[in-house]
Amino acid sequence: MGDNIHIHAWSCSYYLNSGKQWVPGKLLLTPVSVKFKADKSGEILASFPLSSISEIKKESSALIFSSLTLLESNTKHWFSSLQPNRNVIFNVLEHFWREQLLSPGGARPQMACVQTSKGKELTGLLTGSEKRLEDTAKVLEHQGEQFDNIIKGLDKIESEMDVADRLLSELESPSWWPFGGKLPRAVSEAGKAKENPTASPSKNKDGVIMHIPVIITERTDAHVKPGSLTLLVSGLRICDANSQLLHWFDKREVDDVRVQSPYEICVRQRFIGKPDICYRLLSAKMPEAIPFLEVQFNKKIQFSEDALALARAKRASSPEEAGPSIWQAATGFMGSLVQAGATASSSSSSRGSGDHPEQHQAQLQKEKQVVSQSETQEIRQILRRLKCLALESETELERQDESLDAITSSVDRATMSIDRQNRRIRKLT
């Protein structure tokens, strides 16, 4: 079922050794395998896992130009007539192949059938803590909005006090003063009051939430290059393969984050009068990053129909594991696929060799483990989300501290200005 999830598909031609001919079709990339499907017959002519690939190369010869070869189990697979171009397909295939080799477990397997009492207790405690921290973050956000409204009100009071100062200066000026009542002393005092800063500059303390390798598409599908995505509390940083900054997305300036699939997102910043800034990011680690994007951009993130269909498929296949987030569906779906082959091979080998007492004892010990592997991965994900929420709360508290300092200084200035105007009014009366 997981092989039906296509991360990407490209038009190309495949060299069929048995027929000694080139066959047009589609090169399909799934989270754990590479396939080629013929256009006319619809038959899968080649299918092999990413982990079995030993080499990916760009090759050409006198007869074959601009080709891509995949070496798998001493068999070389040739692909040519690649669309949009060879470099794009090479970068994407190499990225997923490298991540598959670095993480043999693939997309973090989650076994729906393995549950332990201690694991349930731990996940329950962490889920409760996450819910309370989310509620606290919402209260902090509401409190920050109130502080912002207070600052706006104080700014309005200051502007009105400036008007009052100008009118009182006109009333205080003698009838023979030819400059419309603008006495130099009053103007200088008002200028000094306005020169005081309202808030200290932000410390720009930032925390790194996650750093993942990505394939970056900036304009068209032909402009693809490897790079990295860094998730920070204050925004997103996109760099190229040499760690040079390509673009910085401030959290407040991002207009929408669209999840095209569990492995691809699109980040957009809109402008009036000039082109939007849009980056498409593809990564094998994207299912781990989407939870933090949901926390950071909960009002701006959108899921495509393909991503939602994958979530519904996961919920239908294992209702007991159904969660509200798309990344849980993706990781569980891929995990069951990656473990299917290993489980089948281990069970067949155990049946063929017979049940020895030592093996039986080891299997019993494994079954009596305190926390299962799937629960460990779930606990890790919850802890990462807790870290993200904690960093968000810390940043908001620092911003509110600065807002309180600004409010305090603004109230002091307003109080002094009101006392001064009252004294001037008493002199006039």
Side-chain angles (χ1 to χ4, degrees):
M1 184 164 51
D3 278 343
N4 294 327
I5 305 170
H6 296 153
I7 297 174
H8 224 302
W10 302 277
S11 297
C12 68
S13 296
Y14 175 68
Y15 185 73
L16 189 62
N17 281 323
S18 59
K20 302 298 181 182
Q21 60 178 346
W22 288 93
V23 180
K26 297 284 187 182
L27 176 61
L28 307 175
L29 173 64
T30 73
V32 292
S33 66
V34 176
K35 299 179 180 181
F36 178 81
K37 184 178 181 180
D39 282 341
K40 289 185 178 180
S41 62
E43 181 183 358
I44 301 295
L45 300 181
S47 179
F48 44 90
L50 284 169
S51 57
S52 67
I53 299 175
S54 57
E55 187 179 51
I56 301 178
K57 290 180 64 177
K58 303 175 187 177
E59 294 192 37
S60 61
S61 68
L63 299 177
I64 305 170
F65 299 94
S66 184
S67 297
L68 194 66
T69 61
L70 279 67
L71 184 62
E72 179 260 336
S73 301
N74 297 324
T75 302
K76 182 174 284 191
H77 301 271
W78 288 83
F79 299 92
S80 187
S81 301
L82 303 161
Q83 297 294 330
N85 59 61
R86 181 177 63 172
N87 291 333
V88 170
I89 300 175
F90 175 81
N91 287 332
V92 175
L93 287 178
E94 187 187 39
H95 167 79
F96 279 87
W97 174 55
R98 186 192 307 114
E99 294 301 324
Q100 183 73 16
L101 293 179
L102 293 176
S103 178
R108 304 297 185 204
Q110 293 182 358
M111 295 180 292
C113 58
V114 179
Q115 290 185 342
T116 62
S117 58
K118 182 61 69 176
K120 289 181 180 179
E121 182 180 356
L122 288 174
T123 52
L125 289 173
L126 288 175
T127 302
S129 300
E130 182 184 7
K131 182 66 170 62
R132 291 184 179 89
L133 190 54
E134 286 178 352
D135 295 339
T136 304
K138 291 178 181 178
V139 173
L140 281 175
E141 183 180 5
H142 179 66
Q143 180 175 285
E145 293 176 354
Q146 290 180 326
F147 285 160
D148 294 339
N149 293 333
I150 292 174
I151 292 176
K152 290 179 181 178
L154 289 171
D155 291 340
K156 186 177 181 181
I157 290 175
E158 286 190 6
S159 64
E160 291 175 350
M161 294 305 299
D162 291 340
V163 174
D165 182 77
R166 179 175 58 81
L167 294 176
L168 285 172
S169 298
E170 292 178 356
L171 292 174
E172 290 173 342
S173 62
S175 58
W176 49 265
W177 185 255
F179 302 107
K182 295 182 180 179
L183 294 178
R185 178 171 304 212
V187 173
S188 62
E189 290 179 356
K192 289 180 182 179
K194 288 296 289 180
E195 287 177 359
N196 294 329
T198 58
S200 59
S202 63
K203 302 176 184 177
N204 197 22
K205 278 186 68 177
D206 213 346
V208 177
I209 300 173
M210 178 177 282
H211 181 83
I212 60 173
V214 295
I215 299 296
I216 304 168
T217 305
E218 185 174 356
R219 296 180 182 88
T220 63
D221 290 337
H223 294 82
V224 173
K225 53 188 174 182
S228 63
L229 170 66
T230 304
L231 278 70
L232 301 165
V233 174
S234 58
L236 305 174
R237 184 171 63 216
I238 301 175
C239 300
D240 60 12
N242 298 321
S243 299
Q244 297 295 323
L245 180 65
L246 294 178
H247 191 75
W248 163 258
F249 283 103
D250 189 272
K251 177 182 175 181
R252 296 165 296 181
E253 297 174 351
V254 174
D255 291 302
D256 61 78
V257 178
R258 185 167 181 82
V259 181
Q260 306 288 355
S261 74
Y263 300 92
E264 184 177 6
I265 65 171
C266 180
V267 185
R268 185 185 300 274
Q269 181 180 355
R270 302 184 186 277
F271 295 94
I272 298 177
K274 61 179 181 178
D276 298 343
I277 296 178
C278 181
Y279 282 86
R280 283 171 48 200
L281 306 173
L282 179 69
S283 175
K285 300 290 185 182
M286 196 61 72
E288 300 179 12
I290 292 178
F292 307 114
L293 293 173
E294 278 197 308
V295 172
Q296 281 188 298
F297 306 101
N298 56 346
K299 297 180 181 179
K300 301 177 180 180
I301 193 167
Q302 301 176 359
F303 293 94
S304 66
E305 290 297 327
D306 293 338
L308 293 175
L310 177 59
R312 287 193 292 266
K314 173 59 182 173
R315 295 191 187 103
S317 61
S318 56
E320 68 280 1
E321 291 272 330
S325 303
I326 183 66
W327 73 86
Q328 293 178 348
T331 53
F333 215 15
M334 295 306 100
S336 61
L337 173 65
V338 172
Q339 284 197 338
T343 305
S345 60
S346 61
S347 61
S348 61
S349 61
S350 63
R351 286 194 300 268
S353 60
D355 293 334
H356 298 287
E358 295 82 0
Q359 295 177 351
H360 185 66
Q361 184 68 22
Q363 185 176 1
L364 288 177
Q365 291 178 358
K366 186 176 180 180
E367 290 175 355
K368 292 181 180 179
Q369 57 187 341
V370 178
V371 180
S372 66
Q373 187 178 3
S374 60
E375 290 170 334
T376 303
Q377 299 300 333
E378 185 179 357
I379 290 172
R380 183 180 288 112
Q381 287 183 351
I382 296 175
L383 288 174
R384 285 174 177 172
R385 293 198 295 273
L386 285 172
K387 175 186 175 183
C388 181
L389 287 169
L391 289 173
E392 290 274 354
S393 301
E394 181 185 7
T395 303
E396 179 63 22
L397 283 173
E398 290 178 356
R399 190 187 72 83
Q400 290 185 17
D401 286 340
E402 295 175 358
S403 298
L404 284 173
D405 293 338
I407 290 173
T408 301
S409 59
S410 183
V411 168
D412 292 340
R413 288 197 306 274
T415 302
M416 294 174 60
S417 180
I418 290 173
D419 291 340
R420 185 172 64 251
Q421 308 303 353
N422 285 335
R423 290 194 299 269
R424 295 170 67 183
I425 291 173
R426 282 196 292 270
K427 287 181 180 179
L428 290 173
T429 57

